Amino acid sequence: MTSKFETDFGTPAVQSDQQVTLTIDGQAITVPAGTSIMRAASEAGGSIPKLCATDSLQSFGSCRMCLVEIEGRRGYPASCTTPVEAGMVVRTQSDKLADLRRGVMELYISDHPLDCLTCASNGNCELQDVAGQVGLREVRYGLDGANHLQDQKDTSNPYFDYDPAKCIVCNRCVRACEEVQGTFALTIEGRGFESRVAAAGGKDFLDSECVSCGACVQACPTATLTEKSVIQWGQPERSVTTTCAYCGVGCSFRAEMKGNKVVRMVPAKEGPANRGHACVKGRFAWGYATHPDRITKPMIRKKITDPWQEVSWEEALQYAASEFRRLQTQYGRDAIGGITSSRCTNEETYLVQKLIRAAFGNNNVDTCARVCHSPTGYGLKQTLGESAGTQNFDSVMHTDVVIVIGANPTDGHPVFASRLKRRLRQGAKLIVIDPRRIDLVDSPHARAVHHLPLRPGTNVAMLNALAHVIVSENLLAESFIAERCDDAAFSKWRDFVAQAECSPEVMEAVTGVPAADVRAAARLYATEGNGAIYYGLGVTEHSQGSTAVMAIANLAMATGNIGREGVGVNPLRGQNNVQGSCDMGSFPHELPGYRHVSDDATRNLFESAWGVSLQNEPGLRIPNMFEAALDGSFKGLYCQGEDIAQSDPNTQHVAAALSAMECVVVQDIFLNETAQYAHVFLPGSSFLEKDGTFTNAERRISRVRKVMPPLAGKADWEVTIALAEALGYRMDYRHPSEIMDEIARLTPTFHGVSYARLEEKGSLQWPCNDDAPDGTPTMHLNQFVRGKGRFMLTRYVATDEKVNSRFPLLLTTGRILSQYNVGAQTRRTANVAWHDEDRLELHPSDAEDRGIAEGDWVGIHSRAGETVLRATLTERVQPGVVYTTFHFPESGANVITTDNSDWATNCPEYKVTAVQVVKVTQPSEWQQRHRSFTQQQQALLKGRRKVVTEPGR
Ligand code: SF4
Ligand code: SF4
Ligand code: SF4
Ligand code: FES
């Protein structure tokens, strides 16, 4: 169902250097050449009746509702399919046009239920509006003839219904699925009167190829496809623009509200990251925010075996502060630390690192980027000079060859994937480098030219082999390199990759990929125009994660694919605010803006702003905190919005470290896995309950706006301020905008960023500075941030995690579309309809060797531990490789991942674990222990001593 909170211009905007002036209803109008008459009229404030047209889709010309008269032309052309011409004179209203439109509308209404008053779309239905607009007063054909009024509804999708009785067969849904989403799940079945929309590949929507992105629902002009939430609660009354809190695409949404209740989330057409599109998570999976599992009262306990005690905010904060001070007195200033969250806003993250540096007095702050994109920060800084991706998402529409390596965008970054698929349908070429046959390898009307299914852990070997071809076959962008890159570093690199040891032929034994395929892919990337590389955690989460990021940057520089639209190095960030949490100084060695703590000038700046002296040595990283906890020197942790007990590798090690601490303070919306080891629980706020900003993978800073009051009375930023005060350190902010003002004052790349500027511009892509006050969509335009681009040597070093006869298979991990990260949110939504357990994918030949059938329980053993999952047999994985997701705590995927990590950043090597898989009949020992520990913790929660506190206290 379309939204009443935005204008629909009927057909998409057209970009053209040429302007055309025509006259519509006596008014002279100038628009870009190629614009439709419908859009021109609409931009001038007019409104031509329409049903099959909408401005997110190419015009189709089927409903005949938008007819106009054009002087000098015969007949009544459709305004949606007729482009403007200079000097054209158009009439949109006449008696004849009114008759024609009424006639068409009469036919539609003759096969449409007349239940407007009780219809969920009443007041927001284009059919209803257009019937009124054309002045339809009677329907002569009656409803007693053949009609579709008894057609069965399809209510199988958990989020929307399909009611064929209301369908006018305008085809908007089918086109939305094709053009916007790129899934091609819908067709019109039957012909003429019999024609109806059908979801392909299954008996109903849920069972079909539909991925529940909702584009069809948004495009439907009637109540045929309607959100269940709208059916249940009625039409929204107001809307607030905000930003999705799931992945790093950072889609802009309008939260459409009724009072304080979200009725639906509608992706904003003006959103630069998503251009009106969304995925099943952002559009539909927001119900977790008001889930009954939300904990909205602060709680404390002395020991993790004690029942929780609800207390006032004041008591909880005083208790946490006194414990932290006690631990520092007893064990030293560095005995405590904190973890910031990529789920939280920039302002909240900034405050947490400030609290740790200024109030704890140490640099023991880290963030979950440690376990995902820390190698991106390191690798891109070394080579290009800035720890961030180089492009915006629009850039992909100017790309000719795309390399996707170690990323699965259709699941992890679905809205970007839709944009990429659109570009592929326009003719761009795709190279996929991934051990698995991800969906992009062969999606409808968009196939990869090359899929290089390398062995897990061999990215650097593959990237060096690609570079070898580029160097040895003289495919280098020599003038770019001469002008833009450091000569000496380039020469060394060229000599290094030119060696036979880097050749595809030698590397074939390592990667498992035929040399000829690697050569062909390298030639394609280097020679076919604009080449762009998109990568994800399949690159970073390796023992050579940072090396691989540098190898990617090397490739881009060697081919001149950097510094303009359509090219670049593009990390697809996992969580919504990974970029932001890194920007905000969440690492133990860096203050906001990636400035090292040892830099005196930077430290002086913050010291005078914060009124404290700061340590000049880096603090502990997350894995070091765990080690120190087990050594007995690290005793207290403030963990905001992260679930390290589930997300970090080697779960048993993490659990032991948490158990060894004396005061764990968890701030979250649910009692997550980490909170089961906590002594203080501070209720968090969801993205719907607070103001702030997120920074997406494009470096785009976008507003998060409060649409409802915090359920626990305080937003996360307010809690951190209160904790700082309890520790005796005053933070004086009345609104997150004041925190942003401070960030902008102290961080050169955020110069001039303010809520007022964000309001004015919609969003800003940092760096913002005097040269680029409106931000920087494409980085490194004329020169690299570091001056000359620096090629880095990227020698391939095999991981220590090797297969042998005991552990003969390689496990790699990833995400699925419907679930998100540790699943704390999506598991509490109807998204479980698509994925309600993590499964182990294995190749049928490996399964046969082990006597494993589809759905069998299998034990997965690694050097770190053992867990049990059910098996899915699939040829998506190659023989010798198994794969799982990690969305459910009881799966214990991280019980088996090891402590190995990236040499430069300690980012865990999640993507390579040597395992054995055997058929079993019962859960693993760890799972049994985990189940009983969880039950015990749930009982302690249930039995908590409750107090009645005023909200906000
Ligand atoms: S379901 Fe909606 S969008 Fe699709 S054809 Fe029917 S009326 Fe048009
Ligand atoms: S929800 Fe998305 S994938 Fe499913 S049919 Fe509609 S447009 Fe296609
Ligand atoms: S693509 Fe990412 S940001 Fe966009 S709606 Fe989906 S989860 Fe949210
Ligand atoms: S809106 Fe133009 S033909 Fe349907």
Side-chain angles (χ1 to χ4, degrees):
M1 189 192 298
T2 48
S3 171
K4 62 185 173 192
F5 296 104
E6 63 187 5
T7 309
D8 183 350
F9 293 95
T11 61
V14 172
Q15 308 280 341
S16 171
D17 297 338
Q18 226 189 327
Q19 296 291 307
V20 169
T21 301
L22 73 163
T23 306
I24 300 180
D25 295 335
Q27 188 187 349
I29 296 169
T30 302
V31 289
T35 302
S36 70
I37 293 174
M38 174 179 280
R39 184 161 184 121
S42 189
E43 284 183 4
S47 169
I48 300 174
K50 64 180 182 58
L51 284 173
C52 70
T54 186
D55 59 12
S56 56
L57 303 172
Q58 295 304 314
S59 54
F60 192 59
S62 71
C63 74
R64 310 293 297 160
M65 190 57 69
C66 67
L67 309 181
V68 291
E69 293 172 352
I70 302 176
E71 266 185 30
R73 282 209 200 168
R74 291 175 49 202
Y76 303 94
S79 62
C80 64
T81 49
T82 309
V84 295
E85 284 175 21
M88 207 178 225
V89 177
V90 178
R91 237 188 346 264
T92 69
Q93 306 296 336
S94 72
D95 289 348
K96 182 64 191 169
L97 289 171
D99 271 355
L100 288 170
R101 290 170 184 158
R102 267 196 298 270
V104 175
M105 181 52 83
E106 197 178 348
L107 283 172
Y108 280 121
I109 297 297
S110 69
D111 185 13
H112 196 85
L114 299 175
D115 61 353
C116 289
L117 279 183
T118 52
C119 176
S121 291
N122 189 21
N124 190 20
C125 168
E126 290 183 48
L127 189 69
Q128 190 182 45
D129 292 348
V130 176
Q133 197 180 1
V134 303
L136 185 71
R137 295 289 173 263
E138 60 170 337
V139 177
R140 287 162 296 170
Y141 312 114
L143 291 168
D144 42 3
N147 61 53
H148 297 86
L149 302 185
Q150 303 309 318
D151 286 7
Q152 280 300 302
K153 276 189 196 176
D154 175 352
T155 58
S156 61
N157 184 290
Y159 296 117
F160 60 85
D161 286 355
Y162 168 56
D163 181 358
K166 294 186 171 169
C167 181
I168 58 170
V169 202
C170 67
N171 213 287
R172 276 163 61 163
C173 54
V174 178
R175 287 178 285 139
C177 193
E178 294 174 2
E179 291 177 30
V180 179
Q181 165 57 22
T183 291
F184 293 74
L186 297 180
T187 51
I188 301 286
E189 265 181 13
R191 312 186 111 219
F193 177 77
E194 294 303 327
S195 54
R196 271 303 172 261
V197 173
K203 61 181 190 320
D204 53 29
F205 262 92
L206 184 62
D207 190 39
S208 73
E209 289 156 14
C210 166
V211 294
S212 202
C213 72
C216 55
V217 182
Q218 188 172 348
C220 182
T222 66
T224 311
L225 288 163
T226 305
E227 296 92 343
K228 282 183 159 74
S229 54
V230 174
I231 296 171
Q232 186 179 356
W233 295 316
Q235 287 292 321
E237 294 156 346
R238 64 185 175 99
S239 85
V240 182
T241 302
T242 190
T243 304
C244 180
Y246 281 116
C247 84
V249 177
C251 295
S252 177
F253 277 91
R254 273 194 321 281
E256 298 195 349
M257 310 290 297
K258 196 165 194 170
N260 280 338
K261 183 181 273 301
V262 178
V263 172
R264 62 177 181 173
M265 298 289 280
V266 180
K269 285 184 189 167
E270 66 281 5
N274 56 322
R275 307 275 177 215
H277 191 34
C279 79
V280 61
K281 295 187 284 283
R283 191 192 293 265
F284 293 124
W286 35 267
Y288 70 86
T290 49
H291 193 278
D293 286 355
R294 279 286 298 268
I295 294 179
T296 56
K297 297 277 195 313
M299 303 188 296
I300 58 173
R301 59 183 176 179
K302 285 251 182 280
K303 300 197 296 294
I304 67 165
T305 45
D306 290 346
W308 284 103
Q309 245 187 290
E310 282 184 359
V311 292
S312 67
W313 274 107
E314 199 184 359
E315 193 178 339
L317 292 161
Q318 283 303 334
Y319 181 75
S322 66
E323 278 294 279
F324 283 146
R325 287 299 184 227
R326 174 183 71 78
L327 293 172
Q328 288 191 303
T329 309
Q330 207 169 330
Y331 301 100
R333 183 172 61 163
D334 297 337
I336 62 172
I339 296 177
T340 72
S341 173
S342 298
R343 324 301 325 278
C344 287
T345 63
N346 285 316
E347 293 75 4
E348 288 162 345
T349 310
Y350 177 85
L351 286 193
V352 173
Q353 62 87 34
K354 177 173 175 176
L355 171 125
I356 290 158
R357 295 196 155 103
F360 286 8
N362 63 43
N363 284 321
N364 291 339
V365 55
D366 208 354
T367 182
C368 58
R370 171 71 51 219
V371 299
C372 69
H373 266 289
S374 49
T376 288
Y378 180 87
L380 297 187
K381 182 115 185 174
Q382 293 296 314
T383 46
L384 312 180
E386 191 57 89
S387 300
T390 62
Q391 312 295 124
N392 59 13
F393 286 128
D394 282 345
S395 168
V396 77
M397 298 312 287
H398 304 273
T399 301
D400 301 304
V401 183
V402 180
I403 295 182
V404 173
I405 171 167
N408 184 6
T410 51
D411 286 59
H413 303 86
V415 165
F416 167 70
S418 291
R419 194 89 71 88
L420 169 58
K421 287 196 280 187
R422 182 187 288 207
R423 182 63 190 152
L424 297 177
R425 292 197 299 276
Q426 291 172 354
K429 310 259 182 10
L430 174 67
I431 299 163
V432 171
I433 305 176
D434 201 284
R436 282 173 83 230
R437 208 183 63 236
I438 58 170
D439 282 348
L440 274 181
V441 171
D442 188 9
S443 58
H445 305 279
R447 293 181 62 120
V449 181
H450 300 287
H451 173 213
L452 310 179
L454 76 182
R455 302 271 296 158
T458 64
N459 285 330
V460 173
M462 172 61 72
L463 291 160
N464 286 347
L466 291 166
H468 176 92
V469 178
I470 288 164
V471 166
S472 61
E473 298 190 11
N474 293 322
L475 306 176
L476 288 163
E478 283 177 6
S479 58
F480 177 93
I481 297 166
E483 198 186 315
R484 303 275 309 263
C485 301
D486 181 286
D487 274 349
F490 167 67
S491 302
K492 270 198 208 157
W493 174 81
R494 186 190 49 206
D495 294 347
F496 159 68
V497 293
Q499 296 171 76
E501 71 181 62
C502 292
S503 69
E505 288 71 21
V506 173
M507 285 295 121
E508 183 172 329
V510 173
T511 63
V513 178
D517 294 355
V518 177
R519 285 197 176 268
R523 288 174 197 137
L524 183 66
Y525 171 68
T527 61
E528 283 273 322
N530 284 343
I533 305 178
Y534 291 83
Y535 72 90
L537 305 182
V539 162
T540 54
E541 290 175 343
H542 287 272
S543 60
Q544 281 201 293
S546 293
T547 317
V549 171
M550 293 190 289
I552 286 172
N554 289 343
L555 274 186
M557 290 189 288
T559 52
N561 277 316
I562 208 138
R564 61 182 189 278
E565 268 200 306
V567 297
V569 174
N570 303 277
L572 293 170
R573 301 289 186 155
Q575 307 212 63
N576 52 324
N577 202 31
V578 175
Q579 181 69 55
S581 74
C582 299
D583 302 342
M584 293 298 106
S586 293
F587 291 127
H589 64 295
E590 281 172 340
L591 285 153
Y594 303 99
R595 288 164 295 168
H596 204 275
V597 291
S598 62
D599 180 63
D600 291 342
T602 305
R603 238 183 22 265
N604 291 343
L605 184 71
F606 283 92
E607 283 176 338
S608 65
W610 295 350
V612 290
S613 66
L614 297 172
Q615 276 186 339
N616 61 0
E617 293 277 329
L620 298 175
R621 297 171 174 183
I622 293 172
N624 308 134
M625 292 182 198
F626 296 153
E627 292 301 335
L630 290 167
D631 288 352
S633 59
F634 189 81
K635 291 288 185 180
L637 182 72
Y638 172 39
C639 182
Q640 184 187 70
E642 284 305 324
D643 195 359
I644 47 176
Q646 191 184 340
S647 64
D648 283 39
N650 198 345
T651 307
Q652 301 182 89
H653 177 75
V654 178
L658 287 168
S659 307
M661 294 182 205
E662 292 181 22
C663 181
V664 175
V665 177
V666 168
Q667 186 172 333
D668 208 286
I669 58 176
F670 300 114
L671 193 90
N672 60 19
E673 294 289 301
T674 310
Q676 303 194 135
Y677 297 91
H679 307 88
V680 179
F681 184 87
L682 303 173
S685 47
S686 76
F687 77 114
L688 297 168
E689 297 157 45
K690 57 199 181 188
D691 282 302
T693 55
F694 291 151
T695 306
N696 75 352
E698 306 166 291
R699 298 167 275 106
R700 186 183 300 285
I701 309 160
S702 301
R703 275 300 312 276
V704 176
R705 292 185 177 86
K706 180 160 127 179
V707 305
M708 58 171 72
L711 298 193
K714 283 188 197 293
D716 290 308
W717 61 275
E718 295 173 294
V719 177
T720 306
I721 290 173
L723 180 57
E725 299 222 359
L727 284 158
Y729 181 77
R730 189 162 166 70
M731 290 187 180
D732 199 10
Y733 311 98
R734 283 155 304 169
H735 188 267
S737 62
E738 296 177 2
I739 308 171
M740 179 53 83
D741 292 342
E742 179 174 314
I743 295 166
R745 254 196 328 274
L746 297 174
T747 314
T749 44
F750 274 61
H751 180 71
V753 176
S754 68
Y755 281 24
R757 290 280 291 148
L758 289 169
E759 209 62 55
E760 183 196 334
K761 292 282 163 196
S763 62
L764 291 166
Q765 279 178 272
W766 70 260
C768 297
N769 48 41
D770 287 339
D771 293 339
D774 292 343
T776 311
T778 308
M779 291 196 71
H780 315 293
L781 276 181
N782 299 311
Q783 67 165 14
F784 288 99
V785 169
R786 68 178 305 283
K788 294 278 187 188
R790 177 161 59 165
F791 283 84
M792 297 291 288
L793 297 190
T794 55
R795 191 169 303 283
Y796 168 68
V797 179
T799 167
D800 290 342
E801 184 64 11
K802 298 208 169 35
V803 290
N804 58 18
S805 55
R806 210 168 135 223
F807 302 113
L809 302 170
L810 283 179
L811 169 77
T812 185
T813 59
R815 289 184 188 171
I816 202 153
L817 170 67
S818 55
Q819 293 292 342
Y820 181 71
N821 213 24
V822 294
Q825 295 142 293
T826 43
R827 279 187 275 115
R828 291 180 170 93
T829 69
N831 277 24
V832 288
W834 290 278
H835 185 85
D836 60 359
E837 64 175 334
D838 294 318
R839 285 190 165 224
L840 185 81
E841 289 186 4
L842 78 167
H843 192 273
S845 62
D846 289 326
E848 196 183 345
D849 287 350
R850 292 163 174 78
I852 294 166
E854 177 74 25
D856 279 352
W857 290 104
V858 290
I860 309 143
H861 308 255
S862 75
R863 294 179 179 96
E866 176 199 349
T867 195
V868 171
L869 297 173
R870 280 200 294 153
T872 291
L873 276 45
T874 171
E875 292 185 356
R876 286 169 79 96
V877 288
Q878 51 185 286
V881 174
V882 294
Y883 168 87
T884 189
T885 50
F886 50 85
H887 303 302
F888 290 80
E890 59 274 18
S891 305
N894 281 327
V895 173
I896 33 184
T897 51
T898 66
D899 283 337
N900 290 353
S901 65
D902 174 45
W903 62 271
T905 65
N906 269 157
C907 180
E909 192 181 33
Y910 288 118
K911 301 298 180 186
V912 192
T913 309
V915 295
Q916 177 59 294
V917 175
V918 292
K919 200 168 156 177
V920 295
T921 52
Q922 60 173 17
S924 71
E925 210 178 293
W926 176 84
Q927 281 166 317
Q928 294 175 37
R929 266 188 285 124
H930 176 262
R931 187 173 299 163
S932 93
F933 179 65
T934 304
Q935 281 166 355
Q936 180 201 9
Q937 288 298 322
Q938 287 302 322
L940 294 174
L941 177 67
K942 231 169 152 191
R944 66 191 179 270
R945 189 163 66 76
K946 300 201 177 192
V947 293
V948 181
T949 48
E950 300 288 322
R953 294 208 52 211

